[in-house]
């Protein structure tokens, strides 16, 4: 039997079953082949090719500038590194808000050109028609509520969303609408843990939290934040598992020192 046949691929059904079984879902962002390969082999359930690529890969202040073509490039690279986990790709700002036909065309480009398994879209009631149209063609959709970074200029701040009752009620309604529309999961970003708990308990599809507290069915972090590549961004919800910034700086400084001193390359490191 070939190795590939033994690999148990994670699908949208798998994550649904994980919720039913009470097994937490792990999700992390990735934007390139090499990291995707490491995360997949490490056993992650879902890789999100997030439009946070706009920030952490391209250095933009917001997620708004990244284009559909750029997301497709990142997703293609990630998919080439993955054997078993589910790959979800963000539809970027401006590629789906116009109308449901535009949304469908963007989702189809992602699926055809990248080999990704699902798309993610930010918003509730406003995008439900587009969500339904995409799902009707067989493309799985992950929703995203709470702090939706593509709307940062409407919010004006990255602080916790839905603390007030009116916004919390809308978020609960939106979550149910997205579930009815056929979403297979919903990201809940930066909302009070008690609200995330209520939403999670009201849905049969999984919720994936980022700053949504412990009651979500899964958690997602941006790889550059959890690996400590970024040093400036330290929100309360972040757990940093490595300090890669320090480790990489040290390694590169040792390399520079070895080059300058003539220690590198040595006799064994030449032909
Ligand atoms: O783009 C992204 O990385 C995201 C996560 C923050 C959920 O949408």
């Amino acid at each position: 039997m070939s190795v590939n046949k033994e690999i148990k691929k994670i699908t949208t059904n798998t994550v649904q079953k994980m919720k039913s079984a009470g097994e937490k879902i792990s999700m992390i962002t990735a934007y390139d082949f090499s990291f995707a390969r490491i995360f997949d082999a490490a056993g992650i359930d879902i890789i999100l090719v997030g439009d946070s690529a706009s920030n952490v890969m391209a250095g933009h202040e917001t997620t708004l500038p990244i284009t559909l073509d750029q997301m497709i490039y990142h997703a293609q690279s990630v998919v080439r590194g993955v054997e078993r986990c589910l790959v979800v790709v963000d539809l970027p700002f401006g590629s789906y808000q116009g109308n449901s036909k535009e949304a469908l065309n963007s989702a189809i480009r992602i699926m055809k050109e990248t080999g990704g398994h699902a798309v993610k879209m930010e918003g509730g009631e406003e995008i439900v028609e587009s969500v339904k149209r995409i799902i009707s063609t067989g493309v799985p959709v992950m929703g995203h509520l709470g702090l939706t970074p593509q709307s940062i200029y409407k919010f004006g701040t990255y602080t916790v969303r839905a603390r007030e009752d009116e916004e919390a009620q809308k978020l609960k309604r939106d979550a149910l609408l997205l579930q009815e529309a056929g979403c297979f999961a919903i990201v809940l970003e930066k909302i009070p843990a008690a609200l995330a708990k209520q939403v999670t308990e009201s849905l049969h599809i999984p919720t994936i939290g980022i700053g949504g507290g412990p009651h979500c069915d899964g958690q997602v972090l941006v790889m550059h934040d959890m690996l400590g590549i970024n040093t400036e961004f330290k929100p309360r919800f972040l757990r940093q598992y490595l300090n890669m910034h320090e480790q990489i700086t040290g390694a590169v400084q040792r390399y520079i020192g070895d080059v300058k001193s003539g220690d590198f390359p040595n006799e064994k490191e030449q032909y």
Side-chain angles (χ1 to χ4, degrees), residues 48-117:
L48 171 66
V49 186
D51 59 357
S52 49
S54 180
N55 309 107
V56 297
M57 300 301 288
H60 292 296
E61 216 171 284
T62 72
T63 58
L64 275 68
I66 199 160
T67 65
L68 185 58
D69 285 338
Q70 288 165 339
M71 287 303 298
I72 287 172
Y73 167 77
H74 286 296
Q76 287 169 335
S77 311
V78 165
V79 167
R80 283 193 285 268
V82 162
E83 286 193 322
R84 40 156 294 285
C85 73
L86 186 73
V87 178
V88 180
V89 184
D90 262 336
L91 285 185
F93 177 69
S95 73
Y96 64 97
Q97 290 90 347
N99 57 55
S100 66
K101 188 160 185 275
E102 177 194 50
L104 177 61
N105 288 341
S106 301
I108 287 176
R109 277 202 66 199
I110 297 261
M111 300 302 282
K112 262 186 163 349
E113 296 178 39
T114 74
H117 310 128

Side-chain angles (χ1 to χ4, degrees), residues 29-57:
T29 67
Y31 318 95
D32 71 1
F33 168 80
S34 301
F35 276 108
R37 194 153 71 146
I38 294 172
F39 300 157
D40 185 57
I44 201 80
D45 297 314
I46 306 177
I47 287 183
L48 171 66
V49 186
D51 59 357
S52 49
S54 180
N55 309 107
V56 297
M57 300 301 288

Side-chain angles (χ1 to χ4, degrees), residues 21 28 51 54 62 93 112 134 157 171 209 224 245 264 267:
I28 191 169
D51 59 357
S54 180
T62 72
F93 177 69
K112 262 186 163 349
I134 293 171
T157 156
L171 191 143
H224 288 66
H245 184 272
F264 175 78
E267 274 171 25

Side-chain angles (χ1 to χ4, degrees), residues 11 14-15 21 26 60-61 90 96 98 100 116 120 139 162 169 175 181-182 194 205 217 242 244 246 266 270:
T11 66
T14 318
V15 294
S26 60
H60 292 296
E61 216 171 284
D90 262 336
Y96 64 97
S100 66
K120 177 165 82 58
V139 176
Q169 295 308 328
I205 58 170
D217 299 301
L242 268 184
M244 274 183 75
E246 208 174 280
N266 64 24
Q270 58 184 282

